[in-house]
Amino acid sequence: MTLSPRLIVASALSLALLATPLFAHAQAPDSTTQGTVPLGRALSSFASQHGVALAFDPALTAGRSAAALAADTPLDAGFATLLAGTGLRATRRADGSYTLERIAQGRMPALRVGGDAGSTFLPAQLPFGQGMRLDQDALQAQVKGNGDIATALRSNPAVQFSDTSRSSRTMGEIRPDDFSINGAPYYQNLFLLDGASINNDLDPTNTAQTIANVNAAVDVPSSAQGIAVDVDLLESLTVYDANVPASYGGFTGGVIDAQRRKAGDTLHGKVWLRMARSAWDQVITNPTQAESYEESATFAYQPAYDKLRLGARLEGRTRGGIGVIGTLSHTRSEIPLRAYGGGQSTTGNDVNQRTQVRENTAATVALDWSNDDGLELTAGLSYAPTDDRYFIMNTKDSWFDLRSGGPSVNLGANWQQGAWTFRNRLNYSDLESSRRSIGDTMKNWRPSEEYDWGTGNTSSEGSWGNVDQHDRRIGYRLGIDRDAFLLGGTEHTVQFGLGIQRRDADYERLNDHYIYQSGVATRSCTLADGSIDTVSCSLSPLLSGTGTGQYLSQLQLYHAGAFKVSGTEYEAWAQDTIEIGRWTLRPGLRLDHNDLFGQTDLSPRLALSWDVFGTADTRIDAGINRYYGRSFFSYLLRDGRERLREAKTRSSSSIAWDDVTGTINVASNRLRDLDSPYTDEWTLGIDQRFEHLQVHAKYVDRRTSRDVLRRKVTDPLDSTLYNRNTYEYTNDGRSDSQTWTLSMGSRRPLDVWGMRNSWQLSADYTDVARNYNSYEDLLEMDQLVRYEGQLMYRHQLPATDYLRPWSVRLSTVTELPVLGLSWNNFFRLRAGFEGTVSGAAEIIDGQSVPTLTRKVFPRTWTWDTNVEYRLALPREQEAYARVEVMNVLNRSNQTSGTTAGNTYYEPGRSFWVELGYAF
């Protein structure tokens, strides 16, 4: 008889639960133990006795001790007793767990000046093997690059990146990178800012990474991260990649919870400037691409760029106790390109040099106030627009702007009354993915004396028109926490909550947009009514030598119109952290319903932790969970936007367009009922602490069902409504992934010759099988192909993106406080992977079968480093300078590509320089 791994783990957990009373009775620690123990151990033991998850940097408690407390000591009083005189306090997080933080005394440091002698400035592991947390010092210690969330997560072994999104080709871009967690699609991560979602669910797979997506008349690119979060604004960044608490829903990948800074007690601030330039870089390209790269007329190849980021922050607290912190940052990247491709220049009516621009602004204001009666009020307001300016290659007057981001408001009211804490949160956001063009027409002329700027057989002018897309939401959440209480021989910490959210999404073409094309020779532009066609006809002699003018015979008319979908989402959750001796059990249940797609989902969650020896040094974690993913508005909006197009053709220059009967476009996508995709997960891990070392190993098994993809419709359709090549979204997607991760690192810095040294080493092995790439995948994944001589289905081919089979990552932090210097390094070794090369098709049983051969890409490794010098000034002021170097050794790391045109390399040696001042 064969037993599945899932059945084995489920049985093991069941036996563990049945055995719990025996373990509790036989191994419960004596609460009357006399003497002192290390403070960290005392805190962990006390938290475990109360069924509370406690995570903190071990360096905070290093060298300190405390007396053990009686088990019946109230939770808050016990923490206060253990931490008396340490300058630390226990703080409850939004998910009910606790952490330690230093008590503000006089003022909070504006930035890290030498730091605490026991701090490692490295990510900290979360309880139950849930993931890791980076505090402000950890975020600032590493190479920041563009300052986006993805760069901050490179050391996380559960995170994988695309091999094409950030390459040597496109170093001028500033958009946040996409990433996958535990093999899930990148668009199924949940991004939170101060507890509120900042996902843009309009159409997150239609990114601005490809020319086809950017240069599209109908679809406007979107992004999974609706707001480009600047890590310089954050107090912490928490990543949940397994055993995720029941309070989180709407993902099958992971949860990224970003928390903005709160104000200190006294007035202080900071200003900074960051800069990166292509002139400082070593560019790595395919030798056969060198000429086209240098003469690039498209953002797909960016031979030059200049990036500048400016930031300022001011914070303080009024006499009435209101904390105020305001931050403003602005990033601008200029990318000079040729206007015309193929190295061609024009001496006619258009210039041959243009500069594309990327701009991102983030303005935030955060307020907080609390009294002595348990009431805390918070407010966060932010406006984070992104404006990217593009032009169409080989086209005059073709500028257009892609706009994203937008405003968000977050209001909170927390009230602690006795053993109960009530957490209220009201949030609003309006995230857009819109486009603005300089005109409402596009014309494709044949070259003539008047239209003489073209290349080849076309002189084009104009752009794609004005389109607005918005993802608006307003929501309310209530979370209720109960302090730990005894029930029989167990201790419970109960949390539950509910929420409601209104969602509105729209697509609107603001005005009629005209695309004229197909020039035909003519000697007259006079219409039948005697008027002159000055829009789509010209008598300027053609350069082809005919001596005649031309009229444009075809028109694609995109009508103004708007489509909107709305719905309400409901959520409720409950979980109980149960402490029984050395065992901590956290069962949870989550209910989600949305009336937009008519989906109701029930997600059971179960996490288990066993403190093997009762010292908190050896913990075994396990869990069985279900996560439901999100559905996207593009499923519903696609049909409407496709039907806005009307095609017209005229056979003579004398025919007015109003007299031509057009053909309204029919949709190429058919709607059907969709269920929510879901992932079943089981996980097993171990946390081991030694005196100076912490080791964490984890295995995560995930099976995803009912994921969404597009399939070609084969049954007869109404030709008046649908195109003959029609597709529909289905729940036929499925995937399996297994992820093994290992991380080990310093619990406290090692002092050597006055230098404080910390390190963290992580490794992963990931195996993913998936029958789709994204929900917009048009490939027939069940199609037979011949691969390396063997027949198989396309979904059995090796993955080609967001998946390296294994990687090893090492982070080091070295501080020399006497000189005000810090030196941080990040090393990454990634396995190669298998790609495919297409060959001639074969005919098998009357069907054409594609032939594919294997291409093995080499492993890659890079070394990134940053050096920072801090100069202390009088009156608690400070100036600093920072240099970041990516790919220090300028290694040539190919990441994909089978031909010159689709070959990608990791960026070569490149630099960021940062200067700052704080008071």
Side-chain angles (χ1 to χ4, degrees), residues 168-378:
S168 60
R169 291 181 173 190
T170 54
M171 290 290 288
E173 299 295 341
I174 61 174
R175 75 175 72 91
D177 282 345
D178 294 317
F179 53 88
S180 166
I181 294 180
N182 283 329
Y186 67 87
Y187 50 83
Q188 282 290 4
N189 293 322
L190 176 65
F191 294 93
L192 302 173
L193 182 60
D194 291 340
S197 172
I198 56 171
N199 285 83
N200 186 340
D201 289 340
L202 288 167
D203 193 2
T205 66
N206 185 37
T207 64
Q209 294 180 6
T210 67
I211 297 175
N213 287 355
V214 171
N215 291 312
V218 176
D219 301 330
V220 179
S222 190
S223 174
Q225 300 178 50
I227 292 177
V229 176
D230 186 345
V231 297
D232 281 321
L233 312 183
L234 300 182
E235 182 177 83
S236 67
L237 187 65
T238 303
V239 180
Y240 297 93
D241 57 58
N243 284 337
V244 183
S247 56
Y248 298 102
F251 65 94
T252 58
V255 179
I256 299 90
D257 191 355
Q259 296 289 327
R260 283 180 290 203
R261 285 172 48 90
K262 288 186 178 180
D265 291 339
T266 58
L267 178 67
H268 59 279
K270 176 185 174 183
V271 293
W272 65 95
L273 174 151
R274 285 175 60 83
M275 179 182 295
R277 304 188 67 215
S278 58
W280 301 340
D281 296 352
Q282 295 292 319
V283 177
I284 298 175
T285 61
N286 189 316
T288 62
Q289 298 173 314
E291 183 176 350
S292 60
Y293 185 86
E294 289 298 325
E295 298 177 346
S296 173
T298 169
F299 70 89
Y301 298 89
Q302 299 173 7
Y305 68 88
D306 285 288
K307 296 181 185 178
L308 182 64
R309 167 173 287 185
L310 301 172
R313 179 169 65 237
L314 186 66
E315 58 184 293
R317 196 166 294 276
T318 69
R319 292 183 179 179
I322 301 176
V324 182
I325 178 169
T327 307
L328 176 65
S329 69
H330 180 77
T331 305
R332 179 183 174 91
S333 177
E334 297 184 351
I335 308 168
L337 297 167
R338 285 178 173 267
Y340 293 87
Q344 300 185 61
S345 299
T346 177
T347 58
N349 296 320
D350 196 20
V351 297
N352 197 36
Q353 188 73 24
R354 300 176 186 168
T355 299
Q356 294 194 1
V357 177
R358 314 286 189 260
E359 287 188 293
N360 173 253
T361 303
T364 67
V365 176
L367 303 94
D368 68 274
W369 176 85
S370 60
N371 62 13
D372 296 330
D373 296 325
L375 178 63
E376 179 185 17
L377 303 177
T378 61

Side-chain angles (χ1 to χ4, degrees), residues 348-539:
N349 296 320
D350 196 20
V351 297
N352 197 36
Q353 188 73 24
R354 300 176 186 168
T355 299
Q356 294 194 1
V357 177
R358 314 286 189 260
E359 287 188 293
N360 173 253
T361 303
T364 67
V365 176
L367 303 94
D368 68 274
W369 176 85
S370 60
N371 62 13
D372 296 330
D373 296 325
L375 178 63
E376 179 185 17
L377 303 177
T378 61
L381 301 90
S382 67
Y383 181 57
T386 295
D387 191 338
D388 296 339
R389 170 153 288 196
Y390 294 83
F391 64 83
I392 304 172
M393 180 175 65
N394 300 333
T395 305
K396 181 183 177 181
D397 297 332
S398 61
W399 292 105
F400 63 95
D401 293 271
L402 298 182
R403 301 177 179 178
S404 57
S408 64
V409 180
N410 201 322
L411 306 177
N414 302 332
W415 182 47
Q416 186 172 359
Q417 182 67 24
W420 296 91
T421 301
F422 302 87
R423 304 180 184 278
N424 300 271
R425 186 176 297 278
L426 180 66
N427 64 276
Y428 168 80
S429 64
D430 182 359
L431 307 181
E432 69 171 324
S433 295
S434 301
R435 180 176 63 213
R436 288 295 182 273
S437 299
I438 62 174
D440 58 4
T441 63
M442 174 180 279
K443 302 174 186 179
N444 297 308
W445 301 98
R446 293 168 62 182
S448 68
E449 293 181 2
E450 181 181 3
Y451 306 108
D452 60 350
W453 59 82
T455 60
N457 297 320
T458 305
S459 290
S460 299
E461 62 178 339
S463 190
W464 303 118
N466 301 319
V467 172
D468 274 354
Q469 293 184 119
H470 287 270
D471 180 359
R472 299 183 180 91
R473 68 188 78 195
I474 182 169
Y476 168 75
R477 297 186 98 214
L478 169 65
I480 302 175
D481 303 342
R482 173 64 163 85
D483 285 349
F485 60 92
L486 296 175
L487 183 62
T490 63
E491 192 167 73
H492 299 255
T493 302
V494 178
Q495 300 167 287
F496 53 94
L498 52 85
I500 182 172
Q501 183 171 240
R502 176 70 178 183
R503 299 286 305 277
D504 297 290
D506 61 66
Y507 175 96
E508 181 179 7
R509 184 172 283 275
L510 302 183
N511 50 270
D512 290 347
H513 186 72
Y514 306 83
I515 299 180
Y516 300 95
Q517 54 195 4
S518 298
V520 178
T522 185
R523 296 186 181 277
S524 172
C525 289
T526 303
L527 298 173
D529 61 2
S531 61
I532 304 298
D533 179 1
T534 60
V535 175
S536 57
C537 186
S538 169
L539 294 181

Side-chain angles (χ1 to χ4, degrees), residues 7 66 123 133 172 216 293 296 384 400 404 418 447 464 472 556 661 677 713 722 843 879 900:
L7 180 59
R133 179 177 183 269
Y293 185 86
S296 173
F400 63 95
S404 57
W464 303 118
R472 299 183 180 91
Q556 299 291 332
T661 300
V713 177
Y722 297 102
I843 303 299

Side-chain angles (χ1 to χ4, degrees), residues 761-825:
L761 176 68
S762 62
D764 69 274
Y765 179 81
T766 305
D767 184 14
V768 177
R770 181 185 295 126
N771 71 336
Y772 64 98
N773 294 313
S774 76
Y775 62 78
E776 288 292 342
D777 197 348
L778 296 181
L779 289 174
E780 295 296 332
M781 301 303 285
D782 292 324
Q783 177 190 29
L784 276 176
V785 298
R786 185 177 294 279
Y787 177 66
E788 290 291 296
Q790 296 184 353
L791 283 176
M792 63 180 62
Y793 292 106
R794 188 176 287 275
H795 66 76
Q796 295 175 308
L797 294 173
T800 58
D801 205 5
Y802 290 101
L803 180 62
R804 296 290 183 122
W806 58 263
S807 71
V808 180
R809 319 176 198 201
L810 173 64
S811 300
T812 68
V813 178
T814 300
E815 290 210 320
L816 189 58
V818 175
L819 299 180
L821 288 173
S822 62
W823 179 30
N824 309 312
N825 297 280

